Amino acid sequence: MDGGRRLPAVHLPHPDPPGVGEAIGPESSVNKVFWSELDLRLHETALRILGPDGELPGNGWTDGFLFALAGPIYGGTNEIQRNIIAERVLGLPREPKGGQ
């Protein structure tokens, strides 16, 4: 397997996916958090297994790891996505502003 290859665009099943032209719901936050953290953990594990060889140029895993670091940030940080999941998917109360 090529270490630089990206994970395929696979999504967690949704009981009622949006139709064509419909807005994507807050459930998409679950996919974003899941896949961005899986991608990061996958590359961390690969580099741990490879040891010093993981840092050699051209193996793909180091570049993949550096790209995976951005995953929890781009598309909205995972902390924000977790708030969306808590409030809009699970129906939990909103987090107080300013630490109140």
Side-chain angles (χ1 to χ4, degrees):
M1 180 169 137
D2 176 15
R5 200 174 347 174
R6 303 296 304 149
L7 292 173
V10 177
H11 303 284
L12 297 175
H14 187 281
D16 188 22
V20 175
E22 292 181 2
I24 296 173
E27 295 84 4
S28 62
S29 295
V30 175
N31 280 325
K32 193 274 182 190
V33 171
F34 176 81
W35 286 111
S36 64
E37 293 191 2
L38 176 69
D39 190 27
L40 185 56
R41 299 300 176 264
L42 170 76
H43 285 88
E44 287 174 340
T45 301
L47 291 176
R48 225 176 293 125
I49 291 169
L50 291 170
D53 290 341
E55 297 179 23
L56 295 174
N59 73 18
W61 286 106
T62 302
D63 292 339
F65 171 72
L66 293 174
F67 184 80
L69 288 172
I73 300 170
Y74 67 76
T77 67
N78 282 1
E79 288 78 15
I80 291 171
Q81 298 301 321
R82 284 186 180 93
N83 281 341
I84 291 171
I85 294 166
E87 294 168 13
R88 299 181 193 168
V89 177
L90 301 176
L92 298 174
R94 213 176 190 141
E95 185 176 317
K97 293 185 180 187
Q100 299 173 353

